[in-house]
Amino acid sequence: GNKIGDKGAKYIATLLKVNKTLEEVYLCSNDIGDSGANQISKSLRSNKCLLRLSLKGNKVTGAGTSVFVDSLAVNQHLVWISFENNNIDDQGAQYIGAMLKANQSLVELNLAGNKIGDIGASQLAMALGRNTTMAR
């Protein structure tokens, strides 16, 4: 991957706010941490065409997933998101669970390779029980 980091993620977030054509963004292994993830998440509030977003292999923690709850309650276009191989823990799983309760467009979510334990898995299971759109 590249090393765009949080600063580069901020520029990408600015682009996503005004984007009217881009449907897929893969930001795998780019040293994006919580600050960059928060910027990207906030851009999703106004983005109406992005369908797939990958933040695989970055440095996002549980705290970095918190803003996605509000953003994906508003954004009902994104159908796939990957947080694979980050540093998301039980706290992050709780935030993602809240996001799944509010969002009705996501059909696929990848959380493989994180630090989610039994408590986080339980939170996700409860959220998935209430979500009617998730397929995988």
Side-chain angles (χ1 to χ4, degrees), residues 6 15 38 45 57 60 69 93 110 117 120 136:
D6 290 335
L15 166 77
N38 284 338
R45 294 176 187 170
V60 181
V69 176
N110 189 342
R136 299 168 27 134

Side-chain angles (χ1 to χ4, degrees), residues 36-122:
N38 284 338
Q39 293 296 319
I40 290 168
S41 174
K42 289 176 183 176
S43 74
L44 297 177
R45 294 176 187 170
S46 58
N47 185 291
K48 304 267 189 272
C49 60
L50 193 67
L51 302 174
R52 299 172 66 85
L53 173 64
S54 177
L55 291 169
K56 175 183 176 182
N58 283 289
K59 299 177 180 177
V60 181
T61 69
T65 62
S66 65
V67 179
F68 282 89
V69 176
D70 294 332
S71 297
L72 292 182
V74 174
N75 180 309
Q76 296 294 318
H77 303 282
L78 198 69
V79 296
W80 180 87
I81 192 166
S82 176
F83 289 109
E84 181 180 357
N85 294 330
N86 276 277
N87 295 311
I88 298 170
D89 55 10
D90 288 341
Q91 176 192 22
Q94 184 175 0
Y95 291 131
I96 291 169
M99 174 191 74
L100 292 174
K101 290 175 188 173
N103 180 278
Q104 294 300 310
S105 66
L106 281 176
V107 295
E108 197 170 332
L109 169 68
N110 189 342
L111 295 171
N114 281 285
K115 299 175 180 178
I116 299 170
D118 293 343
I119 294 169
S122 173

